[in-house]
Amino acid sequence: MKDHEEWDRSLNDIPTHHCRSVGCQRPEKGLDLGWSCPKIDIDSGGLLFQWRASEHYKVEETLRSLHGEGSGERTPFDYFHINSVDKDENGRHLISSRYLNTVTCIESTGEVCWTLGGKRNEFADLSNGTATSFKWQHPARWRGENTVSVFDNQAYDRASADADRSRGMLIHVRPDEKTATLLQSFPNPRGILSLSQGSMQLLPSGNVLLGWGLAPGFTEYSSTGEVLCDAHFGAFAMRNMGWVTSYRVFKAAWVGRPRTRPEIRLTFGKQKKKTAFVSWNGATQISFWRLESTEKQHAAEDNEFVHVQTVPKKGFEGSLPLPAECSDFVRVAALDSEHKVLGYTDLVNQHNGILVSLAYTQ
């Protein structure tokens, strides 16, 4: 059996959607979806711990309407809906219930320590109601002993919205005094009201990154709340149609080394001036582009190429004018900051723009 301390450390690495749901029968009310959070030994498959929402929260505490559910085994009523579980160094779990609009802290024994938000909110709000007014929220995370972050959707549908935009929140709670204070809020700068999904990440730099879930975009803020980057990867006008979504957005250090080659295309301008355009989608280490030429269509060795010119990489696509003295065939090398070659484009005939690799197949 895996050591419990080792398991506790690895528990936070498990995606929260691995928390499973179990159908529980409620004869007097039909069927509901009783959510549970199990802790399982990976090696043996044994159940080490399990917390059941139905043992602590009543169906009547939900803020979600029936939506025609609860009448049969195939349509149990989802009244609680766990969408995140986090654990701190003291063994306390933080559970987010989207449909109760609550964040619950439980001990390692399963005992409920406190409930923040929703109908059972236990905390006096010292921030004029802004610390406990989150609704339909997503990931709740520990950010210190008594500080939590929450992605506040503020809406399940348009009719349920009490605000005009979603936000990220940092909330400080004092369990002994039963008070809650909003430390900081990060509202969407364009008025996006995300009806589902979403995430909030605190970066090592102190910046904060919010992913807008159903609305396909993300925003990075400074520690003081200044918008540093606001981007979307789907049409803004279709932000709540669900055609393009991203459940959560994370920023991390990584290196992109595509398995494909850099792409090259030639254009022919006035007075027969030619330009090579080059790009390598996904490559993150490029600092320079180097144009090379050769007289041989089947050149394979580096010593068969002449270095024509090198230009810094300034954007997604680079451009290199072809001097008149270029030989018949050209290619471009992608270079890193130390001018080491990361990859080559295909060879291209500079007279007609045909890629040599394509010419072989014709």
Side-chain angles (χ1 to χ4, degrees), residues 192-214:
I192 288 178
L193 192 62
S194 179
L195 305 183
S196 72
Q197 308 166 75
S199 61
M200 179 173 178
Q201 180 187 15
L202 271 60
L203 301 172
S205 63
N207 293 350
V208 176
L209 180 68
L210 293 183
W212 301 108
L214 187 66

Side-chain angles (χ1 to χ4, degrees), residues 117-311:
K119 294 181 179 179
R120 200 191 292 189
N121 174 55
E122 301 175 7
F123 291 82
D125 195 325
L126 302 183
S127 301
N128 296 319
T130 59
T132 57
S133 59
F134 53 85
K135 297 178 67 177
W136 314 104
Q137 78 286 344
H138 275 77
R141 296 282 184 253
W142 291 111
R143 304 299 182 183
E145 185 173 356
N146 286 312
T147 300
V148 301
S149 68
V150 174
F151 179 83
D152 179 18
N153 294 81
Q154 269 297 315
Y156 175 77
D157 52 34
R158 288 291 178 183
S160 66
D162 286 339
D164 64 352
R165 65 194 64 204
S166 300
R167 61 176 174 165
M169 305 173 66
L170 282 175
I171 308 166
H172 183 69
V173 297
R174 294 183 180 274
D176 294 338
E177 301 174 10
K178 287 294 189 291
T179 60
T181 304
L182 180 65
L183 299 178
Q184 207 162 1
S185 177
F186 301 89
N188 184 279
R190 289 185 291 166
I192 288 178
L193 192 62
S194 179
L195 305 183
S196 72
Q197 308 166 75
S199 61
M200 179 173 178
Q201 180 187 15
L202 271 60
L203 301 172
S205 63
N207 293 350
V208 176
L209 180 68
L210 293 183
W212 301 108
L214 187 66
F218 57 88
T219 307
E220 183 172 343
Y221 304 79
S222 70
S223 58
T224 59
E226 177 188 1
V227 174
L228 303 176
C229 174
D230 184 45
H232 62 94
F233 42 87
F236 180 75
M238 301 177 182
R239 55 192 176 278
N240 275 321
M241 294 184 180
W243 293 359
V244 181
T245 69
S246 178
Y247 195 104
R248 295 173 188 173
V249 173
F250 297 100
K251 185 175 182 179
W254 67 284
V255 175
R257 291 295 302 271
R259 295 182 180 181
T260 57
R261 291 187 176 205
E263 297 285 341
I264 184 173
R265 293 293 185 273
L266 298 188
T267 63
F268 299 85
K270 295 180 179 180
Q271 300 177 348
K272 296 184 179 180
K273 290 184 178 180
K274 304 165 188 173
T275 302
F277 288 91
V278 60
S279 65
W280 200 5
N281 191 14
T284 59
Q285 295 179 301
I286 308 170
S287 295
F288 303 94
W289 299 111
R290 185 173 69 203
L291 179 66
E292 303 176 0
S293 70
T294 180
E295 297 179 354
K296 300 180 180 180
Q297 179 172 332
H298 302 289
E301 302 298 329
D302 288 344
N303 59 15
E304 298 180 277
F305 288 86
V306 175
H307 296 179
V308 179
Q309 64 169 312
T310 300
V311 299

Side-chain angles (χ1 to χ4, degrees), residues 87-103:
K87 188 176 181 181
D88 70 2
E89 296 178 353
N90 300 317
R92 300 179 305 169
H93 293 79
L94 198 65
I95 295 178
S96 169
S97 166
R98 173 164 162 83
Y99 294 158
L100 263 62
N101 293 184
T102 61
V103 173

